[in-house]
Short mmCIF file of all heavy atoms in Angstrom, two decimals:
data_model
loop_
_atom_site.label_atom_id
_atom_site.label_comp_id
_atom_site.label_asym_id
_atom_site.label_seq_id
_atom_site.Cartn_x
_atom_site.Cartn_y
_atom_site.Cartn_z
N GLY A 526 110.56 69.83 95.45
CA GLY A 526 110.54 68.90 96.57
C GLY A 526 109.66 67.69 96.29
O GLY A 526 110.00 66.55 96.65
N ARG A 527 108.54 67.92 95.60
CA ARG A 527 107.65 66.83 95.24
C ARG A 527 108.35 65.83 94.30
O ARG A 527 108.10 64.63 94.33
CB ARG A 527 106.40 67.39 94.57
CG ARG A 527 105.29 66.37 94.31
CD ARG A 527 104.15 67.05 93.57
NE ARG A 527 103.48 68.03 94.41
CZ ARG A 527 102.49 67.74 95.24
NH1 ARG A 527 102.06 66.50 95.36
NH2 ARG A 527 101.94 68.69 95.96
N LYS A 528 109.27 66.39 93.46
CA LYS A 528 110.04 65.54 92.55
C LYS A 528 111.27 64.93 93.22
O LYS A 528 112.04 64.24 92.58
CB LYS A 528 110.50 66.38 91.35
CG LYS A 528 109.39 66.82 90.41
CD LYS A 528 109.95 67.68 89.29
CE LYS A 528 110.96 66.90 88.46
NZ LYS A 528 111.52 67.70 87.34
N GLU A 529 111.46 65.25 94.51
CA GLU A 529 112.62 64.81 95.29
C GLU A 529 113.93 65.38 94.73
O GLU A 529 115.00 64.79 94.89
CB GLU A 529 112.68 63.28 95.37
CG GLU A 529 111.48 62.69 96.10
CD GLU A 529 111.61 61.20 96.32
OE1 GLU A 529 112.66 60.62 95.92
OE2 GLU A 529 110.69 60.60 96.89
N ASP A 530 113.78 66.53 94.08
CA ASP A 530 114.97 67.26 93.63
C ASP A 530 115.30 68.28 94.73
O ASP A 530 115.02 69.47 94.63
CB ASP A 530 114.68 67.97 92.30
CG ASP A 530 115.92 68.62 91.70
OD1 ASP A 530 116.92 68.77 92.43
OD2 ASP A 530 115.88 68.99 90.51
N PHE A 531 115.90 67.78 95.82
CA PHE A 531 116.06 68.59 97.03
C PHE A 531 117.10 69.69 96.87
O PHE A 531 117.04 70.70 97.57
CB PHE A 531 116.40 67.69 98.21
CG PHE A 531 115.31 66.71 98.54
CD1 PHE A 531 115.54 65.34 98.53
CD2 PHE A 531 114.03 67.16 98.84
CE1 PHE A 531 114.53 64.45 98.82
CE2 PHE A 531 113.01 66.27 99.14
CZ PHE A 531 113.25 64.91 99.12
N ILE A 532 118.02 69.53 95.95
CA ILE A 532 119.02 70.58 95.73
C ILE A 532 118.34 71.83 95.18
O ILE A 532 118.56 72.95 95.67
CB ILE A 532 120.12 70.08 94.76
CG1 ILE A 532 120.91 68.95 95.41
CG2 ILE A 532 121.04 71.23 94.36
CD1 ILE A 532 121.94 68.33 94.50
N ARG A 533 117.50 71.66 94.16
CA ARG A 533 116.78 72.80 93.59
C ARG A 533 115.75 73.34 94.58
O ARG A 533 115.55 74.55 94.67
CB ARG A 533 116.09 72.40 92.29
CG ARG A 533 117.04 72.22 91.12
CD ARG A 533 116.27 72.03 89.83
NE ARG A 533 117.15 71.90 88.70
CZ ARG A 533 116.74 71.75 87.44
NH1 ARG A 533 115.44 71.70 87.18
NH2 ARG A 533 117.60 71.63 86.45
N ALA A 534 115.11 72.43 95.28
CA ALA A 534 114.10 72.87 96.26
C ALA A 534 114.75 73.77 97.32
O ALA A 534 114.23 74.84 97.66
CB ALA A 534 113.45 71.67 96.91
N GLU A 535 115.91 73.34 97.82
CA GLU A 535 116.60 74.14 98.83
C GLU A 535 117.00 75.52 98.26
O GLU A 535 116.84 76.54 98.93
CB GLU A 535 117.86 73.41 99.31
CG GLU A 535 118.64 74.20 100.36
CD GLU A 535 119.90 73.49 100.82
OE1 GLU A 535 120.10 72.32 100.43
OE2 GLU A 535 120.67 74.11 101.58
N ALA A 536 117.48 75.54 97.03
CA ALA A 536 117.89 76.80 96.42
C ALA A 536 116.70 77.76 96.29
O ALA A 536 116.82 78.97 96.55
CB ALA A 536 118.49 76.54 95.03
N GLU A 537 115.53 77.22 95.93
CA GLU A 537 114.34 78.07 95.78
C GLU A 537 113.89 78.63 97.13
O GLU A 537 113.54 79.81 97.24
CB GLU A 537 113.20 77.28 95.13
CG GLU A 537 113.46 76.85 93.69
CD GLU A 537 113.63 78.01 92.73
OE1 GLU A 537 113.17 79.14 93.06
OE2 GLU A 537 114.23 77.81 91.66
N PHE A 538 113.90 77.81 98.16
CA PHE A 538 113.45 78.28 99.47
C PHE A 538 114.43 79.30 100.06
O PHE A 538 114.01 80.25 100.73
CB PHE A 538 113.27 77.10 100.44
CG PHE A 538 112.08 76.25 100.11
CD1 PHE A 538 112.20 74.86 100.03
CD2 PHE A 538 110.85 76.82 99.86
CE1 PHE A 538 111.09 74.07 99.72
CE2 PHE A 538 109.73 76.03 99.55
CZ PHE A 538 109.87 74.66 99.47
N ARG A 539 115.71 79.13 99.78
CA ARG A 539 116.67 80.13 100.25
C ARG A 539 116.46 81.46 99.52
O ARG A 539 116.58 82.53 100.12
CB ARG A 539 118.10 79.62 100.05
CG ARG A 539 118.48 78.47 100.97
CD ARG A 539 119.96 78.18 100.94
NE ARG A 539 120.29 77.03 101.79
CZ ARG A 539 120.41 77.08 103.11
NH1 ARG A 539 120.25 78.24 103.74
NH2 ARG A 539 120.72 76.00 103.80
N GLN A 540 116.14 81.38 98.24
CA GLN A 540 115.85 82.61 97.49
C GLN A 540 114.57 83.26 98.00
O GLN A 540 114.47 84.49 98.08
CB GLN A 540 115.71 82.27 96.00
CG GLN A 540 115.61 83.48 95.08
CD GLN A 540 116.88 84.30 95.05
OE1 GLN A 540 117.96 83.81 95.34
NE2 GLN A 540 116.75 85.58 94.76
N MET A 541 113.60 82.46 98.38
CA MET A 541 112.36 82.97 98.94
C MET A 541 112.65 83.76 100.23
O MET A 541 112.12 84.86 100.44
CB MET A 541 111.40 81.81 99.24
CG MET A 541 110.13 82.22 99.95
SD MET A 541 109.17 80.78 100.49
CE MET A 541 107.83 81.59 101.36
N ILE A 542 113.49 83.20 101.09
CA ILE A 542 113.83 83.86 102.35
C ILE A 542 114.56 85.17 102.09
O ILE A 542 114.30 86.19 102.73
CB ILE A 542 114.69 82.92 103.22
CG1 ILE A 542 113.86 81.71 103.66
CG2 ILE A 542 115.25 83.66 104.44
CD1 ILE A 542 114.68 80.58 104.26
N GLU A 543 115.43 85.16 101.11
CA GLU A 543 116.20 86.35 100.78
C GLU A 543 115.31 87.48 100.29
O GLU A 543 115.54 88.66 100.58
CB GLU A 543 117.25 86.00 99.73
CG GLU A 543 118.17 87.16 99.37
CD GLU A 543 119.22 86.78 98.34
OE1 GLU A 543 119.60 85.60 98.30
OE2 GLU A 543 119.64 87.67 97.58
N LEU A 544 114.25 87.13 99.54
CA LEU A 544 113.36 88.14 98.95
C LEU A 544 112.22 88.54 99.89
O LEU A 544 111.53 89.53 99.64
CB LEU A 544 112.75 87.61 97.65
CG LEU A 544 113.72 87.42 96.48
CD1 LEU A 544 113.02 86.73 95.32
CD2 LEU A 544 114.26 88.78 96.02
N ALA A 545 112.02 87.78 100.96
CA ALA A 545 110.87 88.02 101.85
C ALA A 545 110.94 89.41 102.47
O ALA A 545 111.97 89.82 103.00
CB ALA A 545 110.82 86.95 102.94
N THR A 546 109.82 90.12 102.40
CA THR A 546 109.72 91.44 103.03
C THR A 546 108.96 91.35 104.36
O THR A 546 108.95 92.31 105.12
CB THR A 546 109.02 92.42 102.09
OG1 THR A 546 107.73 91.89 101.73
CG2 THR A 546 109.82 92.66 100.83
N LEU A 547 108.31 90.23 104.61
CA LEU A 547 107.57 90.02 105.85
C LEU A 547 108.16 88.85 106.61
O LEU A 547 108.59 87.85 106.01
CB LEU A 547 106.09 89.75 105.55
CG LEU A 547 105.31 90.86 104.83
CD1 LEU A 547 103.91 90.36 104.48
CD2 LEU A 547 105.23 92.10 105.69
N SER A 548 108.14 88.94 107.92
CA SER A 548 108.68 87.85 108.74
C SER A 548 107.85 86.57 108.54
O SER A 548 108.40 85.46 108.58
CB SER A 548 108.68 88.24 110.21
OG SER A 548 107.37 88.57 110.65
N SER A 549 106.56 86.72 108.29
CA SER A 549 105.71 85.55 108.08
C SER A 549 106.11 84.80 106.82
O SER A 549 106.08 83.57 106.77
CB SER A 549 104.24 85.97 108.00
OG SER A 549 104.04 86.92 106.97
N THR A 550 106.50 85.56 105.77
CA THR A 550 106.94 84.93 104.52
C THR A 550 108.26 84.20 104.74
O THR A 550 108.44 83.06 104.28
CB THR A 550 107.11 85.98 103.41
OG1 THR A 550 105.89 86.71 103.26
CG2 THR A 550 107.48 85.34 102.09
N ALA A 551 109.18 84.85 105.44
CA ALA A 551 110.46 84.20 105.74
C ALA A 551 110.26 82.94 106.59
O ALA A 551 110.95 81.93 106.39
CB ALA A 551 111.38 85.19 106.46
N ALA A 552 109.28 83.01 107.49
CA ALA A 552 109.00 81.85 108.34
C ALA A 552 108.57 80.66 107.50
O ALA A 552 108.99 79.52 107.76
CB ALA A 552 107.92 82.20 109.36
N VAL A 553 107.73 80.91 106.50
CA VAL A 553 107.30 79.82 105.60
C VAL A 553 108.51 79.25 104.86
O VAL A 553 108.62 78.03 104.67
CB VAL A 553 106.24 80.33 104.60
CG1 VAL A 553 105.92 79.26 103.55
CG2 VAL A 553 104.97 80.74 105.32
N GLY A 554 109.43 80.14 104.44
CA GLY A 554 110.64 79.68 103.78
C GLY A 554 111.48 78.79 104.67
O GLY A 554 111.94 77.71 104.24
N TYR A 555 111.68 79.20 105.92
CA TYR A 555 112.47 78.38 106.85
C TYR A 555 111.76 77.06 107.18
O TYR A 555 112.40 76.02 107.33
CB TYR A 555 112.76 79.16 108.14
CG TYR A 555 113.92 80.11 108.01
CD1 TYR A 555 113.72 81.49 108.02
CD2 TYR A 555 115.22 79.63 107.88
CE1 TYR A 555 114.79 82.38 107.89
CE2 TYR A 555 116.29 80.50 107.75
CZ TYR A 555 116.07 81.87 107.76
OH TYR A 555 117.13 82.72 107.62
N TYR A 556 110.45 77.10 107.30
CA TYR A 556 109.69 75.87 107.56
C TYR A 556 109.92 74.86 106.43
O TYR A 556 110.18 73.67 106.68
CB TYR A 556 108.20 76.19 107.69
CG TYR A 556 107.34 74.95 107.70
CD1 TYR A 556 107.24 74.17 108.84
CD2 TYR A 556 106.64 74.57 106.55
CE1 TYR A 556 106.45 73.02 108.84
CE2 TYR A 556 105.86 73.43 106.55
CZ TYR A 556 105.77 72.66 107.69
OH TYR A 556 105.01 71.51 107.69
N ASN A 557 109.84 75.36 105.19
CA ASN A 557 110.04 74.46 104.05
C ASN A 557 111.49 73.96 103.96
O ASN A 557 111.74 72.84 103.55
CB ASN A 557 109.63 75.15 102.76
CG ASN A 557 108.12 75.17 102.57
OD1 ASN A 557 107.51 74.15 102.29
ND2 ASN A 557 107.51 76.33 102.76
N LEU A 558 112.44 74.81 104.35
CA LEU A 558 113.83 74.36 104.41
C LEU A 558 113.97 73.23 105.43
O LEU A 558 114.71 72.25 105.23
CB LEU A 558 114.75 75.52 104.79
CG LEU A 558 115.35 76.36 103.66
CD1 LEU A 558 116.25 77.44 104.23
CD2 LEU A 558 116.12 75.49 102.68
N GLY A 559 113.25 73.38 106.55
CA GLY A 559 113.25 72.32 107.55
C GLY A 559 112.74 71.01 106.98
O GLY A 559 113.30 69.93 107.24
N LEU A 560 111.67 71.09 106.16
CA LEU A 560 111.14 69.87 105.55
C LEU A 560 112.15 69.26 104.59
O LEU A 560 112.33 68.03 104.55
CB LEU A 560 109.85 70.20 104.79
CG LEU A 560 108.64 70.64 105.61
CD1 LEU A 560 107.43 70.85 104.71
CD2 LEU A 560 108.32 69.63 106.70
N VAL A 561 112.82 70.12 103.80
CA VAL A 561 113.82 69.63 102.85
C VAL A 561 114.91 68.86 103.59
O VAL A 561 115.29 67.74 103.20
CB VAL A 561 114.44 70.80 102.04
CG1 VAL A 561 115.69 70.33 101.29
CG2 VAL A 561 113.42 71.38 101.07
N TYR A 562 115.40 69.43 104.69
CA TYR A 562 116.49 68.77 105.42
C TYR A 562 116.01 67.52 106.17
O TYR A 562 116.79 66.60 106.41
CB TYR A 562 117.16 69.75 106.37
CG TYR A 562 118.26 70.52 105.68
CD1 TYR A 562 117.97 71.68 104.96
CD2 TYR A 562 119.57 70.07 105.71
CE1 TYR A 562 118.96 72.37 104.29
CE2 TYR A 562 120.58 70.76 105.05
CZ TYR A 562 120.28 71.92 104.33
OH TYR A 562 121.27 72.58 103.66
N SER A 563 114.72 67.49 106.49
CA SER A 563 114.21 66.27 107.12
C SER A 563 114.19 65.13 106.10
O SER A 563 114.45 63.97 106.44
CB SER A 563 112.82 66.50 107.69
OG SER A 563 111.86 66.69 106.65
N TYR A 564 113.90 65.46 104.83
CA TYR A 564 113.92 64.43 103.79
C TYR A 564 115.35 64.05 103.42
O TYR A 564 115.61 62.93 102.97
CB TYR A 564 113.19 64.92 102.54
CG TYR A 564 111.70 65.04 102.73
CD1 TYR A 564 111.04 66.24 102.50
CD2 TYR A 564 110.95 63.94 103.14
CE1 TYR A 564 109.68 66.36 102.67
CE2 TYR A 564 109.58 64.04 103.32
CZ TYR A 564 108.94 65.26 103.09
OH TYR A 564 107.59 65.36 103.27
N LYS A 565 116.29 65.02 103.61
CA LYS A 565 117.70 64.74 103.33
C LYS A 565 118.36 64.01 104.50
O LYS A 565 119.57 63.77 104.51
CB LYS A 565 118.45 66.06 103.06
CG LYS A 565 118.03 66.72 101.74
CD LYS A 565 118.62 68.10 101.59
CE LYS A 565 120.10 68.09 101.38
NZ LYS A 565 120.65 69.44 101.11
N VAL A 566 117.56 63.69 105.50
CA VAL A 566 117.99 62.95 106.68
C VAL A 566 119.07 63.70 107.46
O VAL A 566 119.99 63.12 108.03
CB VAL A 566 118.51 61.52 106.30
CG1 VAL A 566 118.49 60.63 107.55
CG2 VAL A 566 117.66 60.90 105.23
N ASP A 567 118.91 65.02 107.48
CA ASP A 567 119.76 65.85 108.34
C ASP A 567 118.83 66.45 109.40
O ASP A 567 118.42 67.61 109.31
CB ASP A 567 120.45 66.94 107.51
CG ASP A 567 121.50 67.70 108.31
OD1 ASP A 567 121.46 67.62 109.55
OD2 ASP A 567 122.33 68.39 107.69
N LYS A 568 118.50 65.61 110.38
CA LYS A 568 117.44 65.96 111.32
C LYS A 568 117.79 67.17 112.18
O LYS A 568 116.93 68.01 112.47
CB LYS A 568 117.12 64.76 112.22
CG LYS A 568 116.76 63.49 111.47
CD LYS A 568 115.51 63.64 110.62
CE LYS A 568 115.12 62.33 109.95
NZ LYS A 568 113.91 62.47 109.10
N GLU A 569 119.05 67.26 112.63
CA GLU A 569 119.44 68.40 113.47
C GLU A 569 119.29 69.72 112.71
O GLU A 569 118.80 70.71 113.24
CB GLU A 569 120.88 68.22 113.96
CG GLU A 569 121.08 67.13 114.98
CD GLU A 569 121.09 65.74 114.38
OE1 GLU A 569 121.12 65.64 113.13
OE2 GLU A 569 121.07 64.76 115.15
N GLN A 570 119.73 69.73 111.45
CA GLN A 570 119.60 70.94 110.63
C GLN A 570 118.14 71.26 110.38
O GLN A 570 117.72 72.42 110.38
CB GLN A 570 120.34 70.75 109.30
CG GLN A 570 120.52 72.02 108.49
CD GLN A 570 121.62 72.91 109.03
OE1 GLN A 570 122.26 72.56 110.04
NE2 GLN A 570 121.83 74.05 108.43
N ALA A 571 117.34 70.22 110.18
CA ALA A 571 115.91 70.42 109.96
C ALA A 571 115.27 71.09 111.17
O ALA A 571 114.50 72.04 111.03
CB ALA A 571 115.23 69.08 109.69
N ILE A 572 115.61 70.61 112.37
CA ILE A 572 115.05 71.20 113.59
C ILE A 572 115.47 72.66 113.73
O ILE A 572 114.68 73.52 114.13
CB ILE A 572 115.50 70.38 114.82
CG1 ILE A 572 114.80 69.02 114.82
CG2 ILE A 572 115.19 71.12 116.12
CD1 ILE A 572 115.27 68.08 115.91
N MET A 573 116.72 72.97 113.36
CA MET A 573 117.21 74.34 113.47
C MET A 573 116.37 75.28 112.59
O MET A 573 115.96 76.36 113.02
CB MET A 573 118.67 74.41 113.03
CG MET A 573 119.29 75.80 113.19
SD MET A 573 120.93 75.93 112.42
CE MET A 573 120.45 75.99 110.69
N TYR A 574 116.09 74.85 111.35
CA TYR A 574 115.30 75.70 110.46
C TYR A 574 113.85 75.80 110.93
O TYR A 574 113.22 76.87 110.83
CB TYR A 574 115.36 75.15 109.03
CG TYR A 574 116.68 75.38 108.34
CD1 TYR A 574 117.39 74.33 107.77
CD2 TYR A 574 117.22 76.66 108.25
CE1 TYR A 574 118.62 74.53 107.15
CE2 TYR A 574 118.45 76.88 107.63
CZ TYR A 574 119.14 75.83 107.08
OH TYR A 574 120.34 76.05 106.46
N LEU A 575 113.31 74.73 111.43
CA LEU A 575 111.93 74.76 111.94
C LEU A 575 111.81 75.70 113.14
O LEU A 575 110.83 76.44 113.28
CB LEU A 575 111.48 73.36 112.30
CG LEU A 575 111.31 72.39 111.12
CD1 LEU A 575 111.13 70.96 111.61
CD2 LEU A 575 110.11 72.81 110.26
#
Side-chain angles (χ1 to χ4, degrees):
R527 188 183 292 273
K528 291 178 61 179
E529 297 186 1
D530 187 345
F531 297 121
I532 294 175
R533 286 189 178 181
E535 179 181 353
E537 294 297 339
F538 289 131
R539 290 192 183 281
Q540 189 66 24
M541 175 189 177
I542 294 167
E543 184 178 332
L544 292 173
T546 57
L547 299 174
S548 59
S549 58
T550 305
V553 173
Y555 279 111
Y556 169 78
N557 282 288
L558 269 181
L560 294 183
V561 168
Y562 273 85
S563 69
Y564 290 124
K565 291 171 70 175
V566 199
D567 188 342
K568 304 298 184 181
E569 289 77 10
Q570 192 76 0
I572 290 174
M573 183 189 75
Y574 286 126
L575 292 169

